[in-house]
Amino acid sequence: MFDLTGKTALITGASGGIGGEIAKALHGAGATVGLSGTREAPLQELAAELGERAVVLPCNLSDPAAVEALPKQAAEAMGGVDILVNNAGITRDNLFMRMSDDEWQSVLDVNLTAAMKLSKGVLRGMMKARWGRIVNITSVVGATGNPGQGNYAAAKAGLVGMSKSLAYEVASRGITVNAVAPGFIATAMTDKLNDEQKAKINAQIPAGRMGQPEEIAAAVLYLASPEAAYVTGATLHVNGGMAML
Amino acid sequence: MSDVADRVKKIVVEHLGVEEDKVTENASFIDDLGADSLDTVELVMAFEEEFGIEIPDDAAETIQTFGDAVKFITEAS
């Protein structure tokens, strides 16, 4: 249904479970994908799996110089960036009263500041093209809060505010800026939980299960598509009904 | 009129869709030529490309009128 033939997409955190599925979904719709992430090996693996129209762009988002350089590298490798998916995220959980400045700052740097810099870096090309899609992957905890995740929740809520403000500014240029807020998604991160923890989580979710990375990717694909041109500044919650926002 | 002024005027006329004779020395992009703030960002982008120069953000903010643009570009290129 959604056709991204001829479009180019930069996806951060493509070495992770959700990012990888987002890359596959956009690629499957015909886009050329730039796979960014800190670990190069899984990116190369994914690129090999996708075959044509996939380039690997390793980048450590906690390195400001690398963040600065990424939009340019992506544009050179793919001929432009029509779609940016700010998916990369890290967690450094701690009780608020124990949270160090470093735990706070590193999460803000990667989850929020890098997204701002990358968005700024790709906007020029989008403005000229009069077409662009920025999709920021936030989280249900940005809306609900979560004990132990003051830094992460602040960064994710920050992404939503940033998306809306930017959406206002560039709507007249054919550029949309939206957020996708996953709930609990089955990834390597949640695999670490034991059965009891998982059962407890599932009990809070009306759908009775965790989401699949593909279900996040589908939301991103929609927002990246030409069909979603009239959707901007929105947050699409994909959480099995866990929080109906 | 200098070559720079001609080229700047052409960009302004095309981008903002205004009459050429409205683009005078003291014409403000926003107050006189109907630009919004994002238009001024785009004008600066277009100037950078036309003249092969870099206009830093703090300098871009000082370019408010057609005359400002011509002066800045003449000095920079």
Side-chain angles (χ1 to χ4, degrees):
Chain A
M1 169 172 189
F2 301 119
D3 185 7
L4 298 179
T5 305
K7 302 289 186 203
T8 55
L10 171 61
I11 301 117
T12 67
S15 50
I18 294 176
E21 285 305 324
I22 293 170
K24 284 184 205 168
L26 300 184
H27 184 269
T32 297
V33 291
L35 310 171
S36 189
T38 316
R39 294 168 295 137
E40 192 174 343
L43 298 176
Q44 292 289 3
E45 237 168 78
L46 179 57
E49 186 188 329
L50 295 176
E52 284 178 2
R53 293 184 284 108
V55 294
V56 171
L57 302 159
C59 179
N60 178 1
L61 294 182
S62 54
D63 173 359
V67 174
E68 201 85 25
L70 182 59
K72 216 172 190 183
Q73 289 164 350
E76 273 165 18
M78 301 189 290
V81 178
D82 302 308
I83 300 160
L84 169 66
V85 184
N86 283 310
N87 163 71
I90 59 168
T91 55
R92 286 187 68 185
D93 299 356
N94 206 343
L95 284 177
F96 199 86
M97 290 183 71
R98 297 234 169 87
M99 188 167 289
S100 68
D101 289 356
D102 183 54
E103 284 167 340
W104 173 267
Q105 196 60 50
S106 58
V107 168
L108 267 288
D109 282 349
V110 172
N111 296 10
L112 182 58
T113 307
M116 173 268 183
K117 288 187 178 167
L118 295 178
S119 299
K120 209 174 157 197
V122 299
L123 272 169
R124 197 186 175 102
M126 291 179 179
M127 297 250 291
K128 280 181 69 180
R130 289 289 189 269
W131 200 95
R133 296 283 185 268
I134 296 177
V135 183
N136 294 316
I137 308 302
T138 167
S139 166
V140 65
V141 311
T144 63
N146 199 25
Q149 291 199 307
N151 49 0
Y152 186 77
K156 293 301 191 181
L159 269 182
V160 172
M162 185 189 86
S163 301
K164 291 179 180 178
S165 303
L166 178 54
Y168 260 108
E169 291 185 20
V170 297
S172 64
R173 303 307 196 264
I175 303 167
T176 70
V177 187
N178 291 289
V180 172
F184 278 103
I185 305 302
T187 61
M189 231 191 266
T190 55
D191 282 348
K192 285 183 235 159
L193 303 170
N194 63 37
D195 284 348
E196 196 188 330
Q197 286 171 314
K198 281 183 190 165
K200 227 172 166 182
I201 288 168
N202 290 344
Q204 299 165 20
I205 304 171
R209 64 172 177 88
M210 288 193 194
Q212 294 300 316
E214 292 85 345
E215 292 171 314
I216 303 304
V220 175
L221 173 59
Y222 166 62
L223 292 172
S225 73
E227 283 81 355
Y230 203 55
V231 181
T232 195
T235 301
L236 186 43
H237 289 273
V238 184
N239 61 28
M242 176 186 165
M244 301 188 189
L245 301 160
Chain B
M1 192 178 272
S2 71
D3 168 54
V4 169
D6 281 342
R7 287 156 73 191
V8 170
K9 184 174 278 188
K10 188 159 179 276
I11 290 170
V12 172
V13 165
E14 272 174 17
H15 191 87
L16 300 179
V18 291
E19 300 288 333
E20 211 175 308
D21 55 15
K22 293 256 166 59
V23 187
T24 56
E25 176 78 14
N26 293 321
S28 156
F29 295 126
I30 290 177
D31 296 333
D32 302 317
L33 301 176
D36 64 20
S37 52
L38 200 57
D39 286 320
T40 64
V41 172
E42 288 188 308
L43 281 175
V44 166
M45 279 165 46
F47 298 152
E48 286 180 326
E49 272 171 35
E50 172 73 19
F51 296 97
I53 55 172
E54 280 236 7
I55 305 178
D57 288 343
D58 52 345
E61 282 166 20
T62 68
I63 301 175
Q64 303 285 334
T65 66
F66 172 66
D68 293 341
V70 173
K71 182 162 175 280
F72 183 90
I73 292 161
T74 306
E75 282 165 12
S77 54

